[in-house]
Amino acid sequence: MSDLSKVPQFNRLFRLQFEPAQDSFVLLFPEGMVKLNPSAGAILEQVDGDSSVAGIINKLQSKFPEAGDLTPDVCDFLITAEEKKWIYYA
């Protein structure tokens, strides 16, 4: 992803929520549910329709400073999330 100023938004068919029974974030959609790993949950938790990709990366870098440069991992995940139609860019 070359444009870090893009702002991801959730597809209206998907809703992110923390599921205590699963002890993880999940994406709910009409046909079911996707259980997310901790990294995916942390990234999607930052998708608010206002924060750019750069802003999301900055928030995650502050939250996980020991992780090093998160830019490639976050960008790769957001590409996958867009391919799966979980998010889009307005």
Side-chain angles (χ1 to χ4, degrees):
M1 173 177 301
S2 58
D3 187 357
L4 300 182
S5 67
K6 292 168 57 174
V7 177
Q9 299 180 31
F10 275 103
N11 177 332
R12 292 182 197 171
L13 295 177
F14 294 90
R15 183 167 52 97
L16 179 72
Q17 74 179 41
F18 186 80
E19 243 340 293
Q22 301 284 334
D23 193 30
S24 67
F25 278 97
V26 298
L27 275 177
L28 300 174
F29 58 102
E31 297 84 27
M33 173 182 82
V34 176
K35 182 178 177 181
L36 301 169
N37 68 34
S39 297
I43 295 168
L44 288 179
E45 187 179 22
Q46 303 305 317
V47 174
D48 58 11
D50 293 319
S51 299
S52 67
V53 173
I56 290 169
I57 292 167
N58 289 336
K59 289 178 194 175
L60 292 168
Q61 289 288 173
S62 295
K63 192 172 181 179
F64 305 105
E66 70 285 353
D69 183 13
L70 295 173
T71 302
D73 293 332
V74 172
C75 289
D76 287 348
F77 175 76
L78 291 175
I79 288 168
T80 299
E82 183 180 23
E83 289 170 352
K84 292 181 177 285
K85 309 268 189 258
W86 297 346
I87 62 165
Y88 67 96
Y89 297 93

